[in-house]
């Protein structure tokens, strides 16, 4: 009897497409960090990835699409990491601390990703609309700003954060300050270290420490119990005769 041809897995074509897409994105990642997003061309990404030009345009029509695909992966990754670090935090202040510390870990361990985000910010300011970014973010975690605001409200309620904070303003201010510091330090790297004489990781963790001190509710000093006065025993003074 003739042998039956082995059937290919139903998802083999999809797996092949994902591998091709991954090759393109990995090549773009490397070029973007080495040369700068602005300076890299589609032809260079095509050549570095090893795919044919006709294949490249089946996945991405232009460099902007590649940049946004990488951004989507980073936001997705950060969303999962954020959920993980916040799980066991006992208070709002502890959750905020864990969130900011995870950004410090990212600066220490994934500077390529942080540098990409700094480059993205520059291009975003010039080339793309707010609506495009908000649409992408909402697909990954709906209402992120509302979540931050609620975190401040919880902290005020549980007593871990200052009572005079404005929930709608404070967290956005903190996040923008921390993101700005993180991306500047990653972008300038050794230049910052030569200029200030401190490692960028240490500078960033000190930034976080100072911000957290400003958010933290002041400690209420414990009431002192009134000291009991021991009765003074009267001494019998002899009258001089």
């Amino acid at each position: 009897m003739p042998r039956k041809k082995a059937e290919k897995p139903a998802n083999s074509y999809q797996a092949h497409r994902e591998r091709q897409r991954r090759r393109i994105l990995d090549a773009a990642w490397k070029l973007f960090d080495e040369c700068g997003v602005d300076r890299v061309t589609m032809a260079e990404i095509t050549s570095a990835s090893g795919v044919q030009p006709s294949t490249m345009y089946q996945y991405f029509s232009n460099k902007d699409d590649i940049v946004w695909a990488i951004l989507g992966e980073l936001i997705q990754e950060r969303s999962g990491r954020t959920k993980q670090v916040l799980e066991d935090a006992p208070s709002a202040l502890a959750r905020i601390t864990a969130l900011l510390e995870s950004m410090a870990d990212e600066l220490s361990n994934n500077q390529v990703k942080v540098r990409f985000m700094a480059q993205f910010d520059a291009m975003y300011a010039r080339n793309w609309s707010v609506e495009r970014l908000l649409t992408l973010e909402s697909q990954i975690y709906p209402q992120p700003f509302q979540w931050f605001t609620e975190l401040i409200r919880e902290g005020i309620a549980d007593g871990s954060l200052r009572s005079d904070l404005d929930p709608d303003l404070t967290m956005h201010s903190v996040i923008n300050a921390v993101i700005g510091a993180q991306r500047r330090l990653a972008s300038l790297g050794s230049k910052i270290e030569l200029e200030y004489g401190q490692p960028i990781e240490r500078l960033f963790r000190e930034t976080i420490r100072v911000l957290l001190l400003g958010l933290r509710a002041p400690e209420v000093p414990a009431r002192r119990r009134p000291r009991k006065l021991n009765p003074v025993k009267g001494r019998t003074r002899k009258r001089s005769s």
Side-chain angles (χ1 to χ4, degrees):
M1 293 180 66
R3 293 182 179 179
K4 292 183 178 180
K5 292 183 179 181
E7 294 183 1
K8 292 183 179 181
N11 62 350
S12 61
Y13 176 66
Q14 186 60 37
H16 169 73
R17 284 188 60 83
E18 182 54 37
R19 284 194 300 271
Q20 292 284 74
R21 184 177 183 275
R22 185 75 266 150
R23 286 173 64 186
I24 294 168
L25 292 179
D26 288 346
W29 256 115
K30 191 171 186 296
L31 288 172
F32 288 163
D33 192 56
E34 291 176 351
C35 308
V37 177
D38 280 343
R39 297 177 182 176
V40 175
T41 65
M42 282 290 280
E44 289 170 332
I45 297 172
T46 302
S47 175
S49 65
V51 302
Q52 296 298 317
S54 57
T55 302
M56 166 68 78
Y57 289 99
Q58 292 176 26
Y59 295 88
F60 301 103
S61 59
N62 53 53
K63 186 173 72 175
D64 284 7
D65 288 347
I66 295 176
V67 171
W68 281 87
I70 292 174
L71 177 70
E73 288 188 349
L74 288 180
I75 294 175
Q76 184 72 57
E77 178 185 311
R78 183 172 292 172
S79 174
R81 189 169 61 249
T82 298
K83 291 176 182 176
Q84 185 177 3
V85 301
L86 299 184
E87 283 180 354
D88 299 325
S91 67
L93 178 61
R95 287 196 291 278
I96 294 171
T97 301
L99 175 62
L100 300 187
E101 287 292 342
S102 74
M103 294 179 69
D105 293 339
E106 184 179 48
L107 179 63
S108 298
N109 303 322
N110 296 301
Q111 287 186 27
V112 171
K113 295 179 180 180
V114 182
R115 284 195 295 268
F116 171 83
M117 292 303 302
Q119 293 188 72
F120 173 83
D121 282 350
M123 297 183 70
Y124 172 53
R126 296 194 307 266
N127 303 330
W128 299 309
S129 68
V130 175
E131 288 74 23
R132 184 171 184 177
L133 180 58
L134 291 177
T135 299
L136 176 62
E137 288 178 334
S138 66
Q139 291 169 357
I140 297 170
Y141 42 78
Q143 297 182 320
F145 298 139
Q146 184 64 29
W147 179 81
F148 288 144
T149 301
E150 288 302 319
L151 195 53
I152 295 295
R153 288 200 176 96
E154 289 176 22
I156 294 172
D158 68 24
S160 62
L161 299 182
R162 297 164 56 108
S163 61
D164 60 346
L165 297 177
D166 180 340
D168 292 318
L169 178 63
T170 298
M171 198 62 189
H172 299 165
S173 301
V174 170
I175 289 297
N176 275 284
V178 173
I179 286 175
Q182 184 204 46
R183 294 177 187 176
R184 182 176 190 274
L185 291 169
S187 297
L188 297 177
S190 60
K191 291 185 177 181
I192 287 283
E193 294 181 349
L194 289 172
E195 184 179 354
Y196 294 99
Q198 297 286 348
I200 59 173
E201 291 86 356
R202 186 175 183 185
L203 290 170
F204 189 61
R205 290 188 188 278
E206 178 64 8
T207 300
I208 291 173
R209 188 185 74 84
V210 172
L211 284 170
L212 290 171
L213 285 174
L215 295 175
R216 191 189 309 271
E219 293 184 3
V220 179
R223 287 185 178 182
R224 293 183 178 180
R225 294 181 180 179
R227 190 169 56 184
K228 293 182 179 180
L229 299 176
N230 293 326
V232 179
K233 294 181 179 180
R235 293 181 180 177
T236 306
R237 299 178 65 184
K238 296 181 179 180
R239 291 184 180 181
S240 57
S241 54

